[in-house]
Amino acid sequence: MISFRHEVFFEVANHLSFTRASQVLNLSQPAISRHIKALEERYRTSLFERVGNSIKLTVSGNLLLDHLRQAKEVQIRLDYALSTQLDEYNAKGELRLGASTTVALYIIPEILSAFRQRHPNVRITLLNRNSENVLKALGNNEIDLGIIEGQTKTTAVSYRYFLSDEVVAVCSPKSELWSRNSISLAELKNYPVAFRERGSGTLDSVKAALEDVQMKLSDLRNNISLGGTEALKNFLLVDNCLGFLPLRSVQKELAAGTLKQIFIDGLSIRRQFFFIQRHGSESDPFAQAFVRFALQGHNEML
């Protein structure tokens, strides 16, 4: 088992902050410092060095962090193996998930609920961020498994296909387009458009689809971007802008008649969602159990 002092070091090293580690572990900063000092005395080496107002790991600190990550993965697998020896229902452990907004709000809740009922003793946390920040959280070891839109060029993570989705253009009765069912690509340039924020998978999907028809985001009349699917949807409900949103996120509004889908001739926006894990951590038992569970028919009901 990893000692508590090593857990303290792990948090400080991951966040490169004594303050953040004290908040996560609910310890005072002097207590955090005492644990780090005790480890440095044990190993007879410095683990951190100060650089101005920040800290960074020494060579010895990086070595200890690498080995602790391996040890934690072994411990997780051991805990899982022992707790499921008699019955998978009794499995104990933790699953730290990160998901892009569309997944977190409209796809994963029902799967999480069913998974929790099968594994009631597994502690589950879900981080809701845009795709770019889910990748960062995975790289910073804040999560064990991520679900994002599309694939990036980074070689530090492995990808596994999850499901597909569609992004549609919608507007409210305040828009000039409310009386229309469809418009041409050329007409699209004449109307105000609201986008998701930079780093959003939805925005990246819109950008890629426009590029396929030799258009750019800058070709459109855009002077507002909003962070989050719900923020953009709520804005569109009271504004005259056209906006691009995941179909799953606006199904209720389309059915109620508060938003309307506008078809754009020649423009189709589909994207794929992928499970992502750090290379070397693909054997994490709880992450693998969740991936199997999600893929074995439970996404079909969505």
Side-chain angles (χ1 to χ4, degrees), residues 102 106 165-168 202 229 244-250 271:
T102 300
Y106 310 107
D165 190 26
E166 182 180 5
V167 176
V168 297
T202 300
T229 300
F244 293 92
L245 285 169
L247 178 59
R248 296 173 190 270
S249 72
V250 293
R271 73 270 181 81

Side-chain angles (χ1 to χ4, degrees), residues 170-172 178 233 236-237 250 253-254 257-261:
V170 296
C171 68
S172 77
W178 185 256
K233 180 169 68 175
L236 293 174
L237 285 167
V250 293
E253 288 75 16
L254 292 176
T258 53
L259 288 176
K260 179 179 182 179
Q261 181 176 352

Side-chain angles (χ1 to χ4, degrees), residues 107-297:
I107 297 174
I108 212 71
E110 195 167 357
I111 297 173
L112 276 179
S113 175
F115 183 80
R116 187 186 67 83
Q117 292 174 45
R118 179 174 290 189
H119 301 278
N121 297 314
V122 175
R123 174 179 171 78
I124 302 170
T125 56
L126 175 63
L127 181 73
N128 176 12
R129 297 287 187 272
N130 66 31
S131 293
E132 183 178 286
N133 287 320
V134 171
L135 268 169
K136 289 180 181 178
L138 188 71
N140 293 334
N141 201 46
E142 297 172 27
I143 58 174
D144 307 307
L145 177 68
I147 307 173
I148 65 170
E149 301 157 35
Q151 299 187 59
T152 68
K153 295 179 180 179
T154 179
T155 58
V157 301
S158 60
Y159 292 83
R160 183 170 181 179
Y161 173 76
F162 180 25
L163 50 75
S164 298
D165 190 26
E166 182 180 5
V167 176
V168 297
V170 296
C171 68
S172 77
K174 294 180 178 292
S175 170
E176 298 175 62
L177 291 169
W178 185 256
S179 61
R180 305 278 300 275
N181 291 318
S182 65
I183 58 174
S184 68
L185 284 167
E187 288 179 296
L188 176 61
K189 299 178 182 180
N190 300 327
Y191 299 96
V193 180
F195 287 138
R196 281 284 306 277
E197 81 285 3
R198 181 183 176 278
S200 155
T202 300
L203 180 63
D204 289 342
S205 298
V206 174
K207 179 181 178 182
L210 288 172
E211 288 174 349
D212 287 341
V213 293
Q214 287 73 55
M215 287 180 65
K216 297 179 292 186
L217 291 175
S218 58
D219 292 333
L220 305 186
R221 290 174 52 192
N222 165 252
N223 62 4
I224 184 167
S225 299
L226 293 97
T229 300
E230 288 296 304
L232 177 54
K233 180 169 68 175
N234 288 331
F235 173 78
L236 293 174
L237 285 167
V238 297
D239 195 82
N240 67 344
C241 277
L242 183 75
F244 293 92
L245 285 169
L247 178 59
R248 296 173 190 270
S249 72
V250 293
Q251 287 176 329
K252 291 181 180 179
E253 288 75 16
L254 292 176
T258 53
L259 288 176
K260 179 179 182 179
Q261 181 176 352
I262 303 298
F263 295 91
I264 302 169
D265 298 335
L267 188 67
S268 175
I269 309 174
R270 295 195 64 82
R271 73 270 181 81
Q272 296 178 322
F273 293 98
F274 292 86
F275 292 109
I276 57 171
Q277 288 183 270
R278 293 180 300 278
H279 279 307
S281 68
E282 292 91 345
S283 60
D284 179 289
F286 294 111
Q288 289 307 304
F290 182 80
V291 170
R292 288 195 303 271
F293 186 83
L295 292 175
Q296 288 171 355

